[in-house]
Each structure stands twice: as structure tokens, then as C-alpha cells.
Amino acid sequence: MCFTMKTSCVRRRFREFVWLRQRLQSNALLIQLPELPSKNLFFNMNNQQHVDQRRQGLEEFLRKILQNALLLSDSRLHLFLQSHLSSEDIEACVSGQTRYSVAEAIHKFASSNRRFPEEDDEGGKKDNSIEYGSESSSSGLGHSCKDSSPHGCKTNPTLQES
């Protein structure tokens, strides 16, 4: 399987990266996976230095993962980077327990116009994500996301080279 989109921007929480690393490690026992940035008990989302350090650590983790051909064959990695499916939905999709395939889930995400929830007039979240058959998650940390594109994501040229 190859990446179907030239660029991709998804929002993931730190615990989702932990989940991804565990799944990749269980499928590639002989490969030493890179470590995630250490979990800081005093992490503060309002401290830009904390956020930048964690983001850089997660980007470095992904950069190293994407350099390994064996890991690139894992459908979980593709869904993690190219859809907003939750870890539970990714597992269900990979194991064939959904009405859509891995390729269909990625294609639906790529062809959707709105990729992140938008604020409604009352200040609450309005889910504009595509229908995967169950609720998806799109909050937290992940790639470099700023308000510089229509979907709130800034492309990172170093990640695009992978």
C-alpha cells in the first residue's frame, strides 16, 4: 500500500501515538522502533515551549517510522496518517470488521472538503468529518497545525520528503 495523498494533516493526541507505536512494535518484533518524546507530567498546553518540544519529538518519531519499508506496509500507519479514524476504528477497519476497506477510508477522508470539526454559532463543536460508520476523533497534538490553510494545517516540507 502506498500513500494516496501528496500531503496529509490529521490531529492526534499523544496517547494515539503511544497506541500506534505499540501496534507497530507488535507487528515488527525484530525492528527497534524509535522512542516517543518522554511524557512530561507537568506538560502545559498553554506553554508554547512544551507544545513545540512535543510536536518536534512526534515529528521526529514519524520521520523515522516513514523511513522503514516494513513499517510502511502496516495499514494502521496509513489510516493513522491519512484518516481521522479513532484507534478503535482503525483496528476494526484493519481486521475487516467495518463496511469500508482501508483504501476506502483513506479515499473518503482525502475527498472530503472539511477535515476538522468547526465551531458552530453557539461556540460548540460541529462535526464536519466524513461518515465512517462510527464517531471519529480529531483533537489534540499531531502534525504542525496552524491557521495558515483552509483546514488549519500547515504543510511541513521535511515530512513531505518521506
Side-chain angles (χ1 to χ4, degrees):
M1 180 184 297
C2 65
F3 288 97
T4 58
M5 298 184 290
K6 186 174 182 178
T7 61
S8 178
C9 182
V10 294
R11 295 180 185 184
R12 296 290 183 186
R13 300 203 43 99
F14 186 82
R15 68 175 171 257
E16 292 175 296
F17 279 87
V18 171
W19 169 85
L20 176 67
R21 187 180 186 285
Q22 290 171 343
R23 292 307 174 272
L24 292 174
Q25 188 67 73
S26 68
N27 289 339
L29 297 173
L30 301 176
I31 296 175
Q32 181 62 36
L33 289 178
E35 294 297 324
L36 290 168
S38 60
K39 181 93 172 178
N40 180 350
L41 296 177
F42 302 104
F43 182 80
N44 180 353
M45 286 292 290
N46 295 322
N47 183 325
Q48 192 60 43
Q49 183 180 3
H50 286 176
V51 173
D52 288 342
Q53 285 175 339
R54 180 172 284 179
R55 179 188 47 79
Q56 289 169 359
L58 294 173
E59 285 179 1
E60 183 63 22
F61 169 77
L62 288 175
R63 204 173 285 111
K64 289 177 181 177
I65 292 294
L66 293 171
Q67 292 174 0
N68 186 301
L70 180 61
L71 297 175
L72 286 173
S73 68
D74 194 308
S75 296
R76 289 174 188 86
L77 177 61
H78 290 266
L79 288 168
F80 183 84
L81 293 174
Q82 299 182 90
S83 78
H84 281 303
L85 292 176
S86 68
S87 54
E88 294 83 12
D89 290 339
I90 289 173
E91 286 294 344
C93 183
V94 168
S95 62
Q97 298 174 358
T98 59
R99 67 178 192 271
Y100 49 85
S101 68
V102 170
E104 289 169 335
I106 292 170
H107 175 74
K108 285 179 185 179
F109 174 74
S111 63
S112 69
N113 291 330
R114 294 187 176 163
R115 298 179 181 174
F116 298 118
E118 289 184 351
E119 297 288 329
D120 65 15
D121 292 337
E122 289 82 41
K125 293 284 184 191
K126 187 170 62 174
D127 189 8
N128 288 323
S129 61
I130 58 176
E131 276 297 316
Y132 287 111
S134 65
E135 197 172 312
S136 64
S137 164
S138 62
S139 61
L141 294 176
H143 296 74
S144 293
C145 288
K146 305 250 188 232
D147 291 329
S148 60
S149 78
H151 302 297
C153 290
K154 177 180 82 175
T155 57
N156 187 332
T158 56
L159 289 178
Q160 290 177 7
E161 294 171 6
S162 300

